[in-house]
Amino acid sequence: MKPGISDALQEEAEALAALGDTTIDFSDLPEVDFNQPGADGRATSRGRFYRPVKRPVTMRLDADVMAFFQAQGEGYQTRINTVLRKYMVAALSGQKKPVSGHH
């Protein structure tokens, strides 16, 4: 028996575990369309559970680019990160070709 579990609960868990999958009644569950996003059980939005590790960096940006993002108010660093992430995802999926560092 596991610590902290009553004898009755342990017996019920063992009885349920002994049941075969074919004895489970799924009739009250809605149908799942596995062609729909999220039907496989994964979260459909990145920010809901996934939190990538942030790393402080120093980078040089054009003054007008910085002014554009800062003019939108608080959270400009997050918006810059979002734009860069969308570009990265598009480039990795072949939707965009990476650009050179010169303009």
Side-chain angles (χ1 to χ4, degrees):
M1 181 168 74
K2 292 184 180 181
I5 297 179
S6 68
D7 290 340
L9 186 59
Q10 181 67 35
E11 288 174 21
E12 184 178 355
E14 289 171 1
L16 288 171
L19 292 175
D21 288 345
T22 58
T23 61
I24 299 172
D25 178 12
F26 293 104
S27 64
D28 60 339
L29 296 177
E31 289 290 324
V32 176
D33 182 355
F34 287 99
N35 294 318
Q36 294 296 315
D40 58 1
R42 291 183 284 179
T44 57
S45 61
R46 177 174 290 274
R48 187 169 176 198
F49 298 108
Y50 174 72
R51 295 282 185 245
V53 175
K54 302 290 186 186
R55 190 174 115 198
V57 297
T58 301
M59 55 192 289
R60 296 183 181 276
L61 299 173
D62 295 338
D64 59 337
V65 171
M66 230 11 235
F68 170 79
F69 282 99
Q70 286 178 323
Q72 296 175 44
E74 194 173 318
Y76 72 92
Q77 292 173 323
T78 300
R79 283 189 295 280
I80 292 171
N81 189 70
T82 299
V83 168
L84 292 172
R85 175 168 294 285
K86 286 181 179 181
Y87 178 83
M88 178 191 74
V89 169
L92 290 173
S93 69
Q95 295 175 9
K96 290 192 182 281
K97 292 182 181 179
V99 294
S100 70
H102 306 288
H103 46 324

